[in-house]
Amino acid sequence: MLWTANTIIRKFSSSSVYYQNKLKLALIGQSLFGQEVYTNLRKQGHKVVGVFTVPDKDGKADPLAVVAEKDGTPVFKFPRWRVKGKPIPEVVEAYKAVGAELNVMPFCSQFIPMNVIDFPKHGSIIYHPSILPRHRGASAINWTLIEGDKKAGFSIFWADDGLDTGPILLQKECPVEPNDTVDTLYNRFLFPEGIKAMVEAVQLIADSKAPKIPQSEEGASYEGIQKKSNAKVNMAQPAEAIHNWIRGHDKVPGAWVVIDGKPVTLYSSSMLSGSVPAGQPIEVEGASQPGLIAKSGLILFGSDGKALQVKNLQFEDGKMIPASKYFSSDEAASLDLTDDEKKMAEEIRAIWKGILSNVAVIDDTTDFFKSGAASMDVVRLVEEVKQKCEGVQLQNEDVYMATTFQSFIQMFVRRLRGEDQEEELVIDYVTKDVNNMTVKMPYQCFINGNFEDAEDGKTYNTVNPTDGSVICKVSYASVADVDRAVSAAKEAFDNGPWGKMNPRDRGRLLYRLADLMEEHQEELATIETIDSGAVYTLALKTHVGMSIQTFRYFAGWCDKIQGSTIPINQARPNRNLTFTKKEPLGVCAIVIPWNYPLMMLAWKSAACLAAGNTLVLKPAQVTPLTALKFAELTVKAGIPKGVINIVPGSGGLVGQRMSDHPDIRKLGFTGSTPIGKQIMKSCAVSNLKKVSLELGGKSPLIIFSDCDMDKAVRMGMSSVYFNKGENCIAAGRLFVEESIHDEYIRRVVEEIKKMKIGDPLDRSTDHGPQNHKAHLDKLVEYCELGVKEGATLVYGGRQVARPGFFMEPTVFTDVEDHMFIAKEESFGPVMVVSKFKDGDVDGVLSRANDTEFGLASGVFTRDINKAMYVSERLEAGTVFVNTYNKTDVAAPFGGFKQSGFGKDLGEEALHEYLRTKAVTVEY
């Protein structure tokens, strides 16, 4: 039986009502995909009368079961539906009892009997991740890649008694990118679009509009699940076919070749574009020519002479390494030393023996520190070796990275040969003569210490909001680029010098970085101005100036992060010592907004780095340039490769991959509340990564009649118009006491008329352009809605009649609590003013707190008792009293309620990037 529900869809500027038929559904399946299909079907008004999924595994329920049980939907966890090919009667009866009109099978690993498939009025529909009839079977995505298909996609079909042979209801397709993997195809298209399509298919059935298109047998194929034994790579074929085979087997079961007589599994393949890099030859069984171990990975050649690149290798014992490290791994052979190098090695052995006098024989496995060496011995070793071998570049840190005698000699010889010298950073700048200087701007992704194009070569335009002109093209990072950046950050944390560095040395590098930022502050401020529209003087003082202060502040914290000792009950006759350690989390992701591009980078990354983490940062898509210039300065400061990675691109692609990535342990985000919620959900579902969120605001500013009027006007205007209103803590709503309201508005309008709107590089400009065109359009629409709802537009409300994205400073009065502009943030130069009755302190507090946001707030009054009373009761993370926008690097910053949680700045920010370990010792 069909039932109807009335659904009202609200849009920003209009509303409409439509009626849809709804169905009673049984969901049969499992996984996150099944969970999302279930959730979205219920959101659309369909009634799920039963969920049939797999039993709990190791005490953990399937995600579909978890969400359904939470909603109170009946959940059935049958281990099987059939025994010896026959349906289990009690299972079938339990299913029939729910009374479903349609079975929806988003992903199902069980065999479902036909008397269940055909039972509902509308039958059953199934999701399949290929364009049927091609690639029937359980490994459809893998075979799409293995076969080199140019298009991927999915089918939703009506179940029948065949294997993926039923009539087609709908299909959707997408192009296969040259370096797509199973994961990228699934995450980019098959998962998100598949969920939408399942909901669409159900509605088509409910509306009696669903087609049943018979499958053609022409072009039909069926491929089974691959096993490790038959996943060996046939090297006697073109490079693209080899690449397709490897990426089609990525993760499970893993394509493999024989290298130096041993099976090695290959992961993360990509076609090599451009010239073949230099590398060390390596024999690959069946290949037309030897492979190469290069700095970028393992280079393999096809029968056509073209090349592909493999990033990671796995050995038979399960150990996985970057392919570039093959010859430095335990699996690889040592360097062949010349006679002179062997003589030097013996001289160094004698130096080791002189220091480690307690060790009878110095052999290849002797560990410098396990043999009793201390920090002074490190200095002695380095200085003696440098004295013996004049000209070799050696540092104390090298000893910590090569602790055994063999690894030390290998490092020393490579250093002597010049093989491991850092390549000079190559930057393909975009240059512009602007602001009486030539600015040099990197525009590529910054990954593992190098600037490079996005893997698929895509770019996009970044625009100057002053005149709408294109500044340059910027690399548009892909999921594969995020994966490479995370891999580089993980390697830098796990095995690089950053993770082993003395905290004081880490602080020294951050101080050096701050100094370099100060040296380049005019260039950074100029880039910030042309990319974001910030007035140059403000960019210099705040955007850049506070960024420098932030790095200096957290540089000072590096060697002051400490745990504590804790007295506990003793376990007599023994005694106990309990202490805590503060440890870095690992790889952190940072996603920053477009209003303060460099400052938001500094607020989060400085604390992250001071705590000892590595990071992958996504700048806002519309303002990437200062982040990339910052990346250049990190290299000059000596920050090791892989510690900082910058990947410009879209939030939906890059940001989502960061949220989902299993190797990221923390994500810090500043942006809108809806996106923050999505990030939090993705972070929880993926690997329960730690999250800190600085989200939207509608900060109230209360101005009492006993205020300093001059100051209240000046600071009230700053609270709204600072940085063109593109300010997360901007006063989104002013409450002005009735007796001074009209005078206050009159004086504000007088001051607005004095403001100079124009070129942000002009030192006399007060008000520059909005950040980008879409935001300007939203502000104009916001003001139109305010007028439509009955608020009084006192001043502004329009786009300025000149090139660029300029908005007039705007003032609304007579704003009532129910109005849209009273509740929603404009994030622009719009002052929203409401009166409150004289003396009604508690009443205005109630109105000020009547919001789901709680980022900042303010109060102006000469009465200190009133100020303290109000500040205690305002529900916001920051309260300003007789001032506004007064932030400092030492003061914690963050919101309450739906403005997020977690803190930037101050000591508290460090705790967002640390974990606490408790250690108890019995003695």
Side-chain angles (χ1 to χ4, degrees):
M1 164 128 7
L2 292 175
W3 58 285
T4 61
N6 299 343
T7 305
I8 300 177
I9 301 297
R10 286 200 172 271
K11 297 184 179 179
F12 186 74
S13 57
S14 63
S15 62
S16 61
V17 180
Y18 66 91
Y19 301 87
Q20 290 184 331
N21 301 307
K22 303 300 176 184
L23 292 173
K24 292 191 289 185
L25 309 173
L27 251 75
I28 304 175
Q30 63 210 74
S31 78
L32 285 172
F33 186 75
Q35 179 194 77
E36 289 295 322
V37 170
Y38 164 87
T39 301
N40 281 274
L41 284 169
R42 291 184 80 244
K43 282 182 180 177
Q44 292 299 312
H46 297 285
K47 186 174 183 180
V48 180
V49 294
V51 165
F52 299 84
T53 188
V54 294
D56 296 355
K57 186 176 181 180
D58 298 325
K60 184 178 181 181
D62 182 81
L64 174 57
V66 170
V67 69
E69 287 171 341
K70 183 179 179 181
D71 291 336
T73 302
V75 176
F76 304 84
K77 301 177 182 180
F78 300 132
R80 63 188 62 83
W81 292 70
R82 305 186 304 178
V83 174
K84 296 181 179 179
K86 294 184 178 180
I88 303 172
E90 54 269 30
V91 171
V92 174
E93 289 308 310
Y95 158 76
K96 290 181 177 180
V98 303
E101 297 168 330
L102 174 69
N103 291 333
V104 179
M105 302 168 70
F107 172 76
C108 183
S109 62
Q110 297 176 314
F111 289 100
I112 310 301
M114 285 306 299
N115 58 342
V116 171
I117 295 291
D118 293 335
F119 179 77
K121 173 183 177 181
H122 297 289
S124 303
I125 59 170
I126 302 177
Y127 170 91
H128 184 78
S130 81
I131 305 171
L132 292 172
R134 189 163 173 78
H135 305 309
R136 294 168 177 165
S139 298
I141 312 176
N142 304 73
W143 283 99
T144 297
L145 296 173
I146 292 169
E147 294 291 329
D149 293 359
K150 299 304 179 186
K151 291 182 179 179
F154 57 80
S155 306
I156 296 173
F157 67 95
W158 300 90
D160 64 5
D161 58 358
L163 184 60
D164 304 331
T165 57
I168 301 297
L169 194 160
L170 65 80
Q171 291 182 319
K172 294 193 177 181
E173 62 183 39
C174 70
V176 177
E177 301 294 341
N179 294 316
D180 262 332
T181 64
V182 172
D183 282 350
T184 61
L185 266 180
Y186 186 71
N187 293 329
R188 185 179 81 245
F189 184 80
L190 299 175
F191 182 87
E193 295 303 319
I195 294 164
K196 296 175 188 175
M198 287 297 280
V199 176
E200 179 186 349
V202 170
Q203 193 58 52
L204 286 171
I205 295 169
D207 295 338
S208 302
K209 296 178 180 178
K212 290 187 176 182
I213 303 168
Q215 286 192 42
S216 168
E217 287 305 306
E218 183 179 348
S221 63
Y222 171 82
E223 299 94 0
I225 298 173
Q226 283 289 85
K227 297 179 181 178
K228 190 74 174 182
S229 57
N230 57 13
K232 184 177 181 182
V233 181
N234 174 14
M235 296 299 297
Q237 55 182 335
E240 186 175 358
I242 297 172
H243 165 59
N244 289 336
W245 185 265
I246 295 170
R247 64 176 176 155
H249 289 82
D250 210 61
K251 297 290 192 302
V252 179
W256 57 279
V257 293
V258 175
I259 297 177
D260 288 341
K262 298 178 182 179
V264 178
T265 304
L266 312 176
Y267 294 103
S268 301
S269 167
S270 60
M271 291 300 294
L272 190 65
S273 58
S275 58
V276 175
Q280 192 168 344
I282 188 170
E283 288 300 321
V284 179
E285 185 180 280
S288 57
Q289 65 185 91
L292 294 172
I293 297 295
K295 288 187 176 181
S296 57
L298 168 62
I299 309 300
L300 297 173
F301 298 92
S303 58
D304 56 356
K306 294 181 180 179
L308 61 140
Q309 180 174 276
V310 174
K311 290 293 181 68
N312 298 308
L313 306 177
Q314 187 175 40
F315 300 105
E316 281 188 291
D317 62 2
K319 179 183 177 183
M320 184 176 286
I321 63 166
S324 60
K325 303 290 184 184
Y326 181 83
F327 285 117
S328 58
S329 74
D330 294 337
E331 308 291 329
S334 300
L335 286 175
D336 291 326
L337 305 187
T338 65
D339 290 340
D340 286 343
E341 289 167 345
K342 288 177 181 177
K343 183 179 178 181
M344 288 183 187
E346 290 309 311
E347 291 175 350
I348 293 173
R349 193 188 301 271
I351 295 172
W352 275 56
K353 177 61 179 171
I355 297 171
L356 305 175
S357 56
N358 58 313
V359 178
V361 178
I362 305 294
D363 60 25
D364 287 351
T365 62
T366 301
D367 188 285
F368 193 67
F369 296 103
K370 290 179 180 178
S371 300
S375 57
M376 280 303 298
D377 299 314
V378 173
V379 177
R380 177 181 168 184
L381 174 60
V382 169
E383 293 307 315
E384 284 198 51
V385 171
K386 286 165 69 176
Q387 187 178 37
K388 182 72 69 175
C389 309
E390 190 175 344
V392 70
Q393 297 296 314
L394 206 61
Q395 297 177 350
N396 294 353
E397 198 64 39
D398 296 323
V399 183
Y400 293 102
M401 297 296 293
T403 61
T404 65
F405 181 74
Q406 183 185 39
S407 62
F408 184 85
I409 292 298
Q410 299 282 306
M411 178 274 298
F412 170 79
V413 171
R414 287 194 172 94
R415 188 68 51 82
L416 201 62
R417 295 176 180 178
E419 291 179 2
D420 63 351
Q421 289 181 357
E422 289 288 337
E423 294 180 5
E424 185 177 350
L425 180 64
V426 177
I427 306 176
D428 187 11
Y429 293 109
V430 170
T431 60
K432 280 195 178 293
D433 293 322
V434 61
N435 200 25
N436 299 317
M437 67 179 77
T438 300
V439 294
K440 300 167 69 177
M441 298 174 288
Y443 62 90
Q444 298 165 294
C445 300
F446 182 72
I447 299 174
N448 201 27
N450 294 301
F451 286 100
E452 50 193 63
D453 291 337
E455 190 164 289
D456 57 13
K458 288 185 178 178
T459 61
Y460 69 97
N461 293 333
T462 188
V463 173
N464 184 341
T466 302
D467 58 10
S469 63
V470 174
I471 302 170
C472 64
K473 289 187 177 296
V474 177
S475 290
Y476 189 78
S478 66
V479 168
D481 295 311
V482 177
D483 290 346
R484 289 191 298 118
V486 173
S487 178
K490 190 173 190 302
E491 175 67 17
F493 182 81
D494 291 341
N495 302 312
W498 187 255
K500 302 175 178 65
M501 189 176 292
N502 183 300
R504 202 160 295 163
D505 292 336
R506 189 163 66 240
R508 178 173 49 80
L509 291 179
L510 295 184
Y511 276 123
R512 187 186 301 168
L513 176 57
D515 290 343
L516 283 165
M517 292 171 70
E518 189 168 50
E519 288 177 24
H520 290 263
Q521 60 183 329
E522 289 86 1
E523 185 178 21
L524 286 166
T526 301
I527 296 171
E528 191 93 333
T529 296
I530 64 173
D531 203 25
S532 76
V535 171
Y536 176 75
T537 50
L538 179 67
L540 191 62
K541 180 182 182 297
T542 301
H543 289 232
V544 178
M546 194 174 186
S547 299
I548 295 166
Q549 293 174 26
T550 303
F551 272 99
R552 285 192 174 135
Y553 174 80
F554 283 108
W557 266 108
C558 288
D559 61 354
K560 300 172 186 66
I561 298 169
Q562 53 191 320
S564 58
T565 57
I566 303 170
I568 65 170
N569 290 338
Q570 304 298 333
R572 297 175 181 174
N574 297 319
R575 297 177 63 79
N576 299 99
L577 169 66
T578 294
F579 61 91
T580 61
K581 296 173 63 181
K582 296 289 186 179
E583 299 179 340
L585 301 172
V587 180
C588 298
I590 292 174
V591 180
I592 57 174
W594 43 258
N595 56 328
Y596 294 104
L598 186 63
M599 194 172 79
M600 292 296 100
L601 176 153
W603 280 23
K604 294 190 186 300
S605 62
C608 174
L609 295 168
N613 301 285
T614 58
L615 66 88
V616 179
L617 182 141
K618 190 198 89 65
Q621 185 172 343
V622 291
T623 54
L625 295 180
T626 42
L628 295 170
K629 186 67 181 181
F630 167 82
E632 176 193 346
L633 299 181
T634 68
V635 177
K636 293 181 178 179
I639 306 290
K641 284 186 175 183
V643 173
I644 296 170
N645 304 272
I646 312 287
V647 279
S650 74
L653 195 68
V654 174
Q656 186 62 50
R657 180 54 181 159
M658 287 177 168
S659 301
D660 295 335
H661 203 293
D663 289 334
I664 290 175
R665 293 297 168 190
K666 159 70 195 281
L667 192 147
F669 171 75
T670 295
S672 72
T673 297
I675 298 300
K677 289 179 178 180
Q678 179 59 42
I679 284 174
M680 190 173 176
K681 180 178 179 180
S682 297
C683 288
V685 168
S686 57
N687 62 338
L688 210 63
K689 56 177 66 70
K690 191 175 182 179
V691 179
S692 56
L693 304 171
E694 195 254 278
L695 307 176
K698 188 67 175 175
S699 301
L701 174 58
I702 303 173
I703 300 175
F704 289 99
S705 59
D706 61 354
C707 68
D708 178 335
M709 179 65 84
D710 290 341
K711 190 174 185 181
V713 169
R714 185 176 70 254
M715 300 302 295
M717 290 182 66
S718 175
S719 75
V720 175
Y721 304 126
F722 189 81
N723 200 46
K724 311 112 58 180
E726 295 168 354
N727 187 19
C728 51
I729 58 172
R733 191 173 182 194
L734 274 66
F735 295 92
V736 181
E737 201 157 9
E738 192 169 30
S739 59
I740 64 166
H741 175 274
D742 293 351
E743 172 68 8
Y744 186 85
I745 297 301
R746 183 186 66 78
R747 292 183 59 173
V748 165
V749 172
E750 284 180 359
E751 294 301 315
I752 290 176
K753 291 177 180 177
K754 299 175 186 176
M755 292 171 66
K756 180 178 178 180
I757 302 173
D759 183 357
L761 289 172
D762 184 334
R763 302 324 191 247
S764 64
T765 294
D766 298 301
H767 189 80
Q770 305 309 136
N771 188 277
H772 51 280
K773 180 66 164 58
H775 182 53
L776 173 64
D777 293 343
K778 179 184 173 185
L779 288 173
V780 172
E781 191 174 7
Y782 183 93
C783 293
E784 289 172 350
L785 186 58
V787 172
K788 183 178 180 181
E789 287 191 317
T792 300
L793 178 62
V794 177
Y795 193 90
R798 298 180 299 273
Q799 180 177 356
V800 179
R802 58 168 292 158
F805 311 143
F806 291 84
M807 177 75 183
E808 293 179 336
T810 299
V811 179
F812 276 102
T813 61
D814 302 317
V815 178
E816 298 179 15
D817 295 351
H818 70 274
M819 292 180 178
F820 181 86
I821 64 172
K823 294 179 176 294
E824 296 299 324
E825 181 180 31
S826 71
F827 212 65
V830 182
M831 183 178 283
V832 176
V833 186
S834 299
K835 294 179 187 176
F836 68 95
K837 292 182 179 180
D838 289 351
D840 189 11
V841 177
D842 289 325
V844 74
L845 273 171
S846 176
R847 294 171 70 190
N849 288 327
D850 185 22
T851 173
E852 274 300 301
F853 302 112
L855 189 56
S857 59
V859 55
F860 278 83
T861 176
R862 285 190 173 97
D863 185 340
I864 187 62
N865 293 320
K866 187 190 296 181
M868 295 306 295
Y869 180 87
V870 170
S871 67
E872 288 173 3
R873 286 160 178 77
L874 283 169
E875 298 170 359
T878 297
V879 181
F880 298 108
V881 178
N882 294 328
T883 187
Y884 211 89
N885 288 323
K886 181 61 178 175
T887 54
D888 187 89
V889 294
F893 179 93
F896 296 165
K897 299 187 285 189
Q898 291 199 45
S899 287
F901 51 83
K903 298 294 182 184
D904 291 326
L905 304 180
E907 182 181 357
E908 287 197 37
L910 286 168
H911 302 307
E912 301 295 332
Y913 297 94
L914 292 165
R915 63 187 184 189
T916 302
K917 178 182 287 183
V919 180
T920 297
V921 182
E922 186 175 273
Y923 60 96

